[in-house]
Amino acid sequence: MAAALGFVTSLAVNNCNNSQQKLKMEFCNASTIPDSPFLSSKTRFFNNNLEVKNVISETRSLTLNPRCKVASGSASKAMASSLSALELLKTSAADRYTKETSSIVVVGLNFHTAPIEIREKLSIPEAQWPQAIGELCALNHIEEAAVLSTCNRMEIYVVALSQHRGVKEVTEWMSKISDVPVPDICRHRFLMYNKDAAQHLFEVSAGLNSLIVGEGQILSQVKQVVKTGQGVPGFDRKISGLFKHAITVGKRVRTETSISTGSVSVSSAAVELALMKLPESSHATARMLVVGAGKMGKLVIKHLAAKGCTKIVVANRTQDKVAAIQEELKDVEIAYKPLSEILACAAEADVVFTSTASETVLFTKERVQKLPPVSSEVGGRRLFVDISVPRNVGSCVSDLENTQVYNVDDLKEVVASNKEDRLRKAMEAQVIIEDEVKEFEAWKDSLETVPTIKKLRGYAERIRASELEKCLSKMGDDLPKNQKKAVYDLSVGIVNKLLHGPMQHLRCDGSENRSLSEILENMHALNRIFNLDTEISVLEQKIRAKIEQNQK
């Protein structure tokens, strides 16, 4: 077993510095999955991130317990096995963690790679993001985390102490909270590391990776990740820095390019789709029902009003949001109804838009089939346009006669018409994104020197304090305070002047004319000269600490 593990480890070490960031899953010893090789997945995103090719090899089905709660006995056994595996790893390949550095990793599914049937099961409500961050960071190889969950994507961003083990742990966690088997997640997920992960998030924030290129709502959702993560343990320096930089990129792209000009949102595309399916003569008279008055619902109402719809019924839990919309759109007849009356409202509607955060289906086949038929003036079919994830309308509702159901994946029909124009605008944005990725990478790499700076300063401070104590003891207890202070100031001044040169060679803030590679070389040299590295690498220490903490 140790020999096999050593072979796997050597493969991982040989690949850890691969500049192309090839996506390779490591076959590792996992006590929670006996005799089960993990799955490998490669996902390639082209420059505009609008075309995705997945090549997936699947070897064996895996089944995990649902909902992230593991019995204490099995948990202890798993963690003990993890520690045992770590001991084997140390004896078979002692420099494994020394050569590997922590990585930014994104494990995600979006409308490019996964159907809504999978995405809705993995969707995490915003209120649960902090809890998800805590659970992710409790995993053995995850140090920081963030969740970006929208109607079109579910993406987990982490700082992993080991790329392959981190991906494995995140994938299993996603399976546990969703009841989606690991092989199904692997079949639809995409993986990106470090520079590629940063570029992907920047493209997401800029609207390049959206169903509708240039749409603005995704930027506000990225902002919400930062707002929700503030003060949450695990949403720390690297991940928060990544998302804050993504917000800057999103703003810059929209300011310096025309990508947002004429672009539409998911809500407006939903309205366009509904009107495409209705006879043109009925656009002004069709009876519209909007279920949900949140951000998406409000935009649906606004777009309906802009298209000339004058009678709209809004079903919502409370009346406050609807009253605010009524005040804003005084020329449109907007009626409020409580959610408890949605079936009665649907019976009188020709088109039903749903955009709530409900995790249960609001319109089932049994309920919809009891609704009266609609007039032939609107085509004789009642339309359900469901832009919620998870879905509010059961998929089997479309089996009913004279009923048609559309969801967010069906909006591609609307956006296909002006795709070429948006792609040209996207290319303008790519130039900006490439510059911003380089800037972020320089900032991230500069963090690598921080531990060395702290260790060198601590090393010098210990020597200074020790020698100062010896000197003062020799000078006697009756030494005046002003002379003690003078000696103390002298010792501090000497240390600061001696450290000034080395510290300057570690600075990575752009104030010095040194390349990043030179600065990192200086860092490694100082580590060797002053023997600053500990016997056990920093990464291994972190992993050991996490495993031991979980065993308590």
Side-chain angles (χ1 to χ4, degrees), residues 317-368:
R317 282 192 178 86
T318 61
Q319 192 173 1
D320 296 348
K321 292 182 178 179
V322 181
I325 297 172
Q326 289 171 331
E327 183 66 23
E328 188 175 344
L329 303 174
K330 294 183 178 180
D331 297 334
V332 182
E333 185 179 332
I334 300 174
Y336 163 75
K337 296 291 181 181
L339 273 181
S340 57
E341 298 181 16
I342 58 171
L343 290 180
C345 295
E348 299 178 359
D350 301 313
V351 182
V352 180
F353 295 90
T354 59
S355 60
T356 79
S358 173
E359 296 187 23
T360 59
V361 175
L362 300 180
F363 292 98
T364 62
K365 183 176 181 179
E366 292 74 18
R367 291 176 179 177
V368 175

Side-chain angles (χ1 to χ4, degrees), residues 130 133 223-233 235 240 244:
I133 292 172
K223 290 179 181 178
Q224 195 60 35
V225 173
V226 175
K227 183 178 179 181
T228 305
Q230 294 298 322
V232 177
F235 189 77
S240 66
K244 288 175 182 177

